[in-house]
Amino acid sequence: MGTRGSRKIYFDNLYVFCHLLGLLLSAPHTESRDLPMCKESDYHFEYTECDILGSRWRVAIPNKPETCTGLPDPVKGTECSFSCKAGEYLDMKTQECQKCAEGTYSLGTGVRFDEWDKLPAGFVSYGIDMGFESNAANCSNSTWIPKGDYIMSSLDECTSTLTYAVSLKQSGSVTFEYSYPDDSIFLEFYVQNDQCQSTESENRWIKSTASDWNTHYMELKRGNNVLYWRTTTFMLASSTVKPVLIRNIAITGVAYTSECFHCKPGTYSAKPGSARCAPCPANSYSNKGATVCQQCDSEKYSGIGSETCKQRPACKTSDYFYTHTPCDSKGKTQLMYKWIEPKICSENMEGAVKLPASGKMEACPPCNPGFFSNNASACEPCTHGSYSNGTVCAPCPAGTEPMVGFEYKWWNKMPSNMKSSVYSREYSDTERNTAWEVAGEYTYTTPGDLDSDYMMLTLTVPGYRLPHSMAKNTDSSELSRISFVFETSCSADCVLYFMAGYTERNNDVVEHWKGSREKQSYSYIIKSNETISFTWAFQRTGGYTTERRYSGDYAKLYMVHVTNVIGGVASQCRHCALGLGSGCVPCPPGHYMLNGSGVCKRCPANTYVRPEQPLGPEACVPCGPHTRTNQALSACVSDCQLDLHHPGAEPSHYDFTPLANTTSFQSGPRFTSKGLRYYHSFSIGLCGNQGRALALCVDNVTESRREVRGHVCQATVVPSEVRGQGVVSSQPFSIGDALIGVTTESSLGHITSPAHYFPSQSSLPDVIFYYRSAEVTQACKNGRTTTIRLRCDPTVMEKDQLSLPSNCSEGTCDGCSFHFLWRSRHACPLCSESDYKEITSACIQGIQKTTFVWQEPLHCTGGVSLPAQRVSACVTLDFWLKFGVSTGTVAALLLITISCYFWKKTRKLEYKYSKLMMSSGEKECELPAADSCAIMEGEDAEDDLIYLTKKSIFGKIKAFSRERTSDGFDSVPLKSSSGLEMEMS
């Protein structure tokens, strides 16, 4: 222990000696007796760098060299890990922590930046373009802009970065307040330290805000740290963007604080040891380092945290609003006028208007549906199982159930689940909270401090539950529905936004309306139990102005109705199916309920039931061509296999199973005016058969990570360079929830797929899938529709080759009807026997081959395969030629023989006829006796002997030649006995 302590003292003394030696060598050689002795005001104390043992020395440093002599000797300083608490500072003379005086503050071991008249020292801001194909972007001026109390992000479409480098002596933290209301801007905050370790990407995301300021906290490591605030504006949803605001950046873990900081103007600290200065209340002001705030004169005013007071202007009609008072015990109300708070105008100035007198007492309107009026003139909700139209509660009859929800038709009092607030882009600390006011038949926006303020009205609901008469179906697209009737009147570029989200501080814009709008209604379908907040925000103009030029512009809400709300009230009852008792039960899937009977009846085959209308046979919706109901009997799907009959051709069988999995593709790149590249990403789930995943589009900008599922959906995708890591996807919406049908016709169910969008030269028609989305928007009052043409193309080897219409690069020309072409070999019909032909080869050496080939051009895939080559025996042409010659020769000989035979027969008959004529000539005019007129006795037998004699063919030929004499007559041989003997011999 002694050795270690001696070593420590040795190093400490050596360090001090070296430090003092450096000071002496650096000082000029001046006679010390010529300089006066140093006073406390002539020098200040600093600590030396910490040594390897964590210790340091306090040394005196002259404020100006060569001005005095006799500086205090160095003394042992506090340990390097020493720090003071917030509100304290380190007194270097005593090396003890002291409390800050009134009018000052400190963070202890930290620094705070709350004045932004200019960019504080150490901060650097710069803008860069995205480095894409477009080089037209000029982002050098896209920097963060100091605005007094805060610093504001750039509003153009560049990446704007704010950095601050700090060296921490110990582990610390950074805290800052931010306002981030617009999802059109991507905001991230991250830290890099000297070990090149960066904040994890999932922790870079900053939670968005709806109106107020949020606080962000992050721990910092010891050493050098660089803090980054980075924004990228992505202006697609609207023409105006609400910037990101940063203020009150506090960093702890830095070196000791040896002094306290004075409170900035407009703030004060009344007690010693303050860690921060409080802003002055309205109608008061303060200077730098104030301990109290001074009240403004009666004819002047100021806002919160003001350093000066302003002259009150003369009161105008835009400085007050009208409202209806709550009902009194007599059931009366009246119209009365109130000044907008805080009141900044003066009634005593020339030309100032006075507050109008209140109206006469009138009878209160009825309570809202589902409520009743008690004796205290207040409206109370009806008990569960009962309903009302706003007067008296009544139980639902047997066989019915209450339809619970919220329905606001009368506005004598702001509902308890509604809140009004003002969001000002420039002055967010305003005390005003009266943005919407009740006025009997409607609620409306009151005049604002600035025309650019957002007048916000938020409705919060606890959750949703389907009624018992509606089966809980995961395939049902509607869990609840919010409907409202509104009206706007504007003389400038006003906008009314309708937003929905998880909370009132995290909303997505669902729809917006610009300019004046006549009284109209709008409905929004709620598909998940996560939507618990709805906000209406009205802005009179997007441009910043300090004048109230458009205070007369307003927005009105006449009616708001939300269905199936947990803990809601009922305005009516509906018939339901009865269970074993009198309780309501849902009808089985695929059944509808007969009106007024409580009896469930099955829908016809191949139909599904509308979940929002399970009453009556009209609730059964027939499926379109080549589709069928799913297992839950709640929607129509396709199994990706169908048979189609083409005119003049045999039926074709299609199998789109290889295309059934979820497919995603992107449109061509698009660029904003600053060169930011983005794409429209589409996801397709073609058939939607049971067990197949539907298409999915997500919003990963906000912490809600909203998901949209359906057959076809769209999202906007920004390349990963915007966030540093990961692809940014935003603004998802469905363009095809339900499959309507599959056919080759160019129209189905009021949906058209123009053939000229995708010209084709093929004789085979395209197979078209038709989809419809139930989500209704202002531009698409009938919802969105999608058609997907499947075109047979055997040359396409890859599975996914989708394209958009050439004249509609975003897939739609009107924003409501989307069209796609899907070319694939899997879109061809399955091959059959009629798609190939056979080719027979010549007979070679007794073998003949039959080969099968596809018909050209080929318009089929899969199906039957080509038969294998067939080989058969055959005979050649030489064989048949020889066979023919031989057969001909035999036939000729046979013909000659037959001719000779008949010729001989003919000669014999002539001979007999000659003998007969000679016999008849001996006795003229006498008829010969039978059988002996011309033949002598025994002649017949002789003739027989002659023809029985066997002779050769040549002998018979000679005999025939001798029978005819040279004179042309046939010689007739005379028979004698000698001749007979010769014959017989």
Side-chain angles (χ1 to χ4, degrees):
M1 185 70 182
T3 303
R4 183 176 180 181
S6 300
R7 183 179 302 173
K8 182 176 185 299
I9 295 174
Y10 170 76
F11 279 113
D12 290 345
N13 293 333
L14 179 62
Y15 188 87
V16 173
F17 173 76
C18 293
H19 182 77
L20 294 177
L21 181 61
L23 293 177
L24 293 174
L25 293 176
S26 60
H29 298 284
T30 307
E31 295 293 336
S32 60
R33 62 178 179 271
D34 295 338
L35 297 176
M37 296 298 294
C38 291
K39 303 177 182 179
E40 291 186 3
S41 59
D42 294 331
Y43 60 88
H44 64 277
F45 293 109
E46 289 185 7
Y47 280 124
T48 62
E49 294 290 336
C50 294
D51 58 22
I52 57 177
L53 298 178
S55 59
R56 56 188 175 181
W57 291 79
R58 189 200 69 177
V59 296
I61 305 298
N63 295 329
K64 294 182 180 180
E66 306 177 24
T67 56
C68 64
T69 187
L71 293 173
D73 295 331
V75 297
K76 184 68 176 296
T78 59
E79 297 294 329
C80 292
S81 59
F82 176 82
S83 63
C84 294
K85 297 179 181 179
E88 297 179 344
Y89 73 99
L90 180 63
D91 186 352
M92 295 293 290
K93 184 176 182 180
T94 62
Q95 297 196 65
E96 294 180 353
C97 294
Q98 304 290 340
K99 289 186 177 181
C100 292
E102 298 90 341
T104 63
Y105 74 98
S106 80
L107 299 178
T109 57
V111 293
R112 187 183 185 92
F113 303 96
D114 52 10
E115 296 185 32
W116 298 93
D117 296 321
K118 61 179 181 179
L119 203 63
F123 281 88
V124 177
S125 179
Y126 56 90
I128 60 173
D129 59 22
M130 302 311 300
F132 298 145
E133 288 84 348
S134 176
N135 295 321
N138 183 8
C139 299
S140 58
N141 295 324
S142 301
T143 60
W144 289 71
I145 307 171
K147 302 292 288 187
D149 292 334
Y150 53 84
I151 187 169
M152 183 178 70
S153 67
S154 173
L155 292 179
D156 56 22
E157 299 167 0
C158 296
T159 295
S160 180
T161 304
L162 177 69
T163 66
Y164 181 73
V166 60
S167 177
L168 300 186
K169 302 302 180 182
Q170 58 187 2
S171 297
S173 64
V174 56
T175 306
F176 60 90
E177 298 178 12
Y178 70 96
S179 175
Y180 174 30
D182 200 330
D183 289 338
S184 297
I185 297 181
F186 303 149
L187 171 64
E188 58 182 334
F189 171 73
Y190 59 97
V191 178
Q192 290 182 336
N193 59 21
D194 51 7
Q195 284 80 33
C196 297
Q197 295 175 340
S198 179
T199 306
E200 297 179 358
S201 63
E202 60 268 18
N203 296 329
R204 295 186 178 192
W205 302 70
I206 301 297
K207 296 181 179 181
S208 60
T209 63
S211 57
D212 298 334
W213 291 84
N214 274 10
T215 300
H216 187 78
Y217 170 84
M218 180 177 290
E219 295 182 353
L220 301 178
K221 297 180 180 180
R222 180 180 178 180
N224 295 322
N225 291 265
V226 182
L227 283 58
Y228 293 87
W229 293 265
R230 187 164 71 173
T231 62
T232 299
T233 304
F234 188 40
M235 192 164 50
L236 294 178
S238 61
S239 58
T240 58
V241 176
K242 292 171 280 188
V244 175
L245 310 180
I246 303 292
R247 70 179 184 185
N248 295 337
I249 301 176
I251 303 173
T252 63
V254 298
Y256 57 89
T257 300
S258 59
E259 61 178 341
C260 296
F261 301 96
H262 291 283
C263 293
K264 68 175 184 177
T267 64
Y268 72 101
S269 63
K271 297 180 180 180
S274 296
R276 61 182 298 271
C277 298
C280 290
N283 295 325
S284 66
Y285 71 99
S286 71
N287 297 318
K288 186 175 183 179
T291 58
V292 294
C293 296
Q294 305 296 324
Q295 291 294 320
C296 295
D297 296 337
S298 59
E299 294 303 318
K300 293 184 179 181
Y301 77 99
S302 68
I304 297 176
S306 297
E307 56 182 297
T308 58
C309 296
K310 299 179 182 179
Q311 187 70 35
R312 292 181 182 270
C315 289
K316 302 177 183 178
T317 56
S318 59
D319 292 315
Y320 64 82
F321 63 94
Y322 61 92
T323 183
H324 277 258
T325 62
C327 294
D328 58 16
S329 58
K330 299 180 180 179
K332 298 291 185 179
T333 183
Q334 72 175 150
L335 177 71
M336 67 180 304
Y337 297 87
K338 294 182 179 181
W339 293 111
I340 294 175
E341 296 294 340
K343 182 183 176 183
I344 63 173
C345 66
S346 174
E347 302 177 64
N348 301 324
M349 297 185 65
E350 182 179 355
V353 299
K354 301 294 183 179
L355 195 67
S358 299
K360 62 180 182 178
M361 301 298 293
E362 299 177 351
C364 285
C367 296
N368 281 311
F371 292 82
F372 71 98
S373 178
N374 58 16
N375 294 330
S377 300
C379 292
E380 295 184 0
C382 294
T383 58
H384 181 70
S386 60
Y387 72 102
S388 81
N389 60 356
T391 54
V392 180
C393 297
C396 288
T400 64
E401 63 176 340
M403 298 178 61
V404 297
F406 292 138
E407 185 175 2
Y408 303 116
K409 297 172 60 178
W410 305 102
W411 303 89
N412 256 59
K413 182 181 179 181
M414 188 66 72
S416 59
N417 58 350
M418 280 190 172
K419 186 181 74 172
S420 171
S421 61
V422 178
Y423 170 71
S424 177
R425 189 172 70 186
E426 296 294 329
Y427 302 104
S428 298
D429 282 330
T430 178
E431 289 184 344
R432 284 204 52 198
N433 55 13
T434 307
W436 293 71
E437 189 56 64
V438 295
E441 295 182 352
Y442 54 83
T443 176
Y444 76 104
T445 55
T446 61
D449 286 339
L450 298 175
D451 289 338
S452 57
D453 289 349
Y454 290 87
M455 318 300 287
M456 307 182 73
L457 179 65
T458 301
L459 168 64
T460 304
V461 293
Y464 313 94
R465 181 185 297 120
L466 291 172
H468 291 290
S469 61
M470 298 174 63
K472 180 62 178 176
N473 190 341
T474 57
D475 293 331
S476 175
S477 61
E478 180 172 338
L479 178 62
S480 176
R481 181 187 295 258
I482 179 171
S483 305
F484 57 90
V485 178
F486 69 96
E487 176 188 8
T488 59
S489 176
C490 302
S491 56
D493 56 336
C494 73
V495 182
L496 175 63
Y497 297 92
F498 173 63
M499 298 176 284
Y502 284 101
T503 65
E504 60 179 291
R505 293 171 180 258
N506 182 17
N507 285 322
D508 296 323
V509 175
V510 174
E511 189 59 271
H512 66 280
W513 298 267
K514 296 182 179 181
S516 298
R517 296 280 177 170
E518 296 181 354
K519 191 175 181 180
Q520 58 186 274
S521 62
Y522 177 79
S523 295
Y524 173 69
I525 296 176
I526 300 145
K527 299 181 181 180
S528 67
N529 228 337
E530 300 165 344
T531 304
I532 61 175
S533 176
F534 303 97
T535 301
W536 293 266
F538 180 72
Q539 185 185 38
R540 292 179 171 87
T541 181
Y544 170 71
T545 175
T546 58
E547 300 178 3
R548 296 183 182 179
R549 300 176 54 188
Y550 311 113
S551 297
D553 297 353
Y554 62 83
K556 294 181 179 179
L557 277 178
Y558 290 89
M559 185 274 296
V560 176
H561 185 201
V562 189
T563 63
N564 304 336
V565 177
I566 296 176
V569 294
S571 60
Q572 57 181 326
C573 301
R574 66 187 297 167
H575 290 282
C576 62
L578 297 178
L580 297 177
S582 59
C584 292
V585 297
C587 286
H591 290 68
Y592 67 93
M593 189 166 50
L594 294 176
N595 291 323
S597 66
V599 177
C600 296
K601 188 175 181 180
R602 187 176 181 85
C603 285
N606 208 32
T607 61
Y608 69 96
V609 181
R610 285 193 180 100
E612 70 276 7
Q613 183 192 349
L615 300 176
E618 59 273 11
C620 303
V621 181
C623 289
H626 301 104
T627 63
R628 57 176 179 80
T629 53
N630 58 1
Q631 293 181 2
L633 304 178
S634 60
C636 295
V637 296
S638 170
D639 59 1
C640 277
Q641 298 185 16
L642 64 153
D643 293 312
L644 295 177
H645 297 269
H646 305 306
E650 297 181 0
S652 299
H653 182 71
Y654 290 82
D655 185 3
F656 301 131
T657 304
L659 308 178
N661 295 329
T662 302
T663 301
S664 299
F665 75 102
Q666 293 180 349
S667 66
R670 303 180 64 82
F671 297 89
T672 60
S673 58
K674 285 291 185 178
L676 177 64
R677 179 176 60 180
Y678 66 94
Y679 303 87
H680 289 308
S681 177
F682 301 95
S683 183
I684 297 176
L686 188 65
C687 302
N689 193 21
Q690 196 73 27
R692 295 188 182 275
L694 293 177
L696 173 65
C697 297
V698 299
D699 177 6
N700 59 11
V701 176
T702 62
E703 69 272 13
S704 64
R705 297 188 66 85
R706 185 167 62 95
E707 296 183 351
V708 173
R709 294 183 181 273
H711 284 279
V712 191
C713 60
Q714 175 188 321
T716 301
V717 174
V718 181
S720 59
E721 290 88 347
V722 174
R723 282 281 186 179
Q725 295 182 8
V727 174
V728 175
S729 175
S730 65
Q731 304 172 14
F733 60 91
S734 174
I735 57 177
D737 293 332
L739 177 61
I740 304 301
V742 184
T743 179
T744 57
E745 301 296 329
S746 59
S747 63
L748 177 65
H750 305 290
I751 305 175
T752 302
S753 175
H756 66 271
Y757 279 1
F758 306 103
S760 174
Q761 303 296 330
S762 174
S763 59
L764 190 66
D766 298 332
V767 179
I768 309 174
F769 281 70
Y770 290 85
Y771 307 91
R772 187 185 299 278
S773 175
E775 185 175 356
V776 177
T777 64
Q778 176 192 0
C780 307
K781 300 186 182 303
N782 296 322
R784 298 184 178 94
T785 62
T786 298
T787 64
I788 301 178
R789 284 180 171 263
L790 298 184
R791 178 167 296 172
C792 173
D793 191 344
T795 62
V796 178
M797 291 295 102
E798 62 272 17
K799 183 179 67 175
D800 306 328
Q801 186 167 343
L802 292 102
S803 57
L804 305 173
S806 58
N807 56 336
C808 305
S809 58
E810 297 183 1
T812 177
C813 295
D814 57 5
C816 301
S817 301
F818 292 79
H819 308 279
F820 306 99
L821 174 65
W822 196 337
R823 295 169 54 248
S824 173
R825 57 189 177 92
H826 299 294
C828 300
L830 297 182
C831 295
S832 61
E833 288 80 359
S834 61
D835 292 309
Y836 62 81
K837 61 183 178 179
E838 64 179 37
I839 299 176
T840 304
S841 66
C843 184
I844 302 175
Q845 297 180 353
I847 298 177
Q848 190 173 48
K849 297 180 180 180
T850 302
T851 305
F852 299 89
V853 296
W854 295 112
Q855 300 277 4
E856 293 294 340
L858 180 64
H859 291 297
C860 66
T861 184
V864 300
S865 302
L866 283 176
Q869 189 180 56
R870 190 169 58 207
V871 180
S872 59
C874 63
V875 290
T876 61
L877 179 62
D878 294 343
F879 170 80
W880 289 110
L881 182 60
K882 295 177 180 179
F883 178 77
V885 172
S886 302
T887 304
T889 303
V890 174
L893 293 175
L894 182 59
L895 180 62
I896 293 173
T897 303
I898 295 174
S899 299
C900 293
Y901 170 75
F902 284 105
W903 179 79
K904 178 63 178 176
K905 195 73 173 176
T906 303
R907 296 294 297 172
K908 182 179 179 182
L909 292 177
E910 290 180 354
Y911 168 71
K912 290 183 177 182
Y913 178 74
S914 300
K915 287 183 64 177
L916 181 61
M917 292 301 296
M918 291 175 62
S919 299
S920 64
E922 293 178 356
K923 293 180 179 182
E924 193 175 352
C925 300
E926 287 186 10
L927 294 174
D931 296 333
S932 60
C933 179
I935 302 174
M936 298 178 62
E937 187 177 355
E939 188 176 7
D940 289 335
E942 182 181 1
D943 293 338
D944 293 337
L945 291 176
I946 293 173
Y947 287 96
L948 287 175
T949 303
K950 294 182 180 181
K951 297 182 179 179
S952 64
I953 295 177
F954 294 103
K956 289 183 178 182
I957 294 175
K958 289 181 178 181
F960 292 153
S961 62
R962 286 194 302 264
E963 288 179 2
R964 186 174 293 272
T965 59
S966 59
D967 57 0
F969 294 96
D970 294 333
S971 59
V972 180
L974 297 178
K975 292 184 174 54
S976 62
S977 59
S978 60
L980 182 60
E981 292 176 358
M982 292 175 63
E983 291 287 344
M984 293 180 64
S985 63

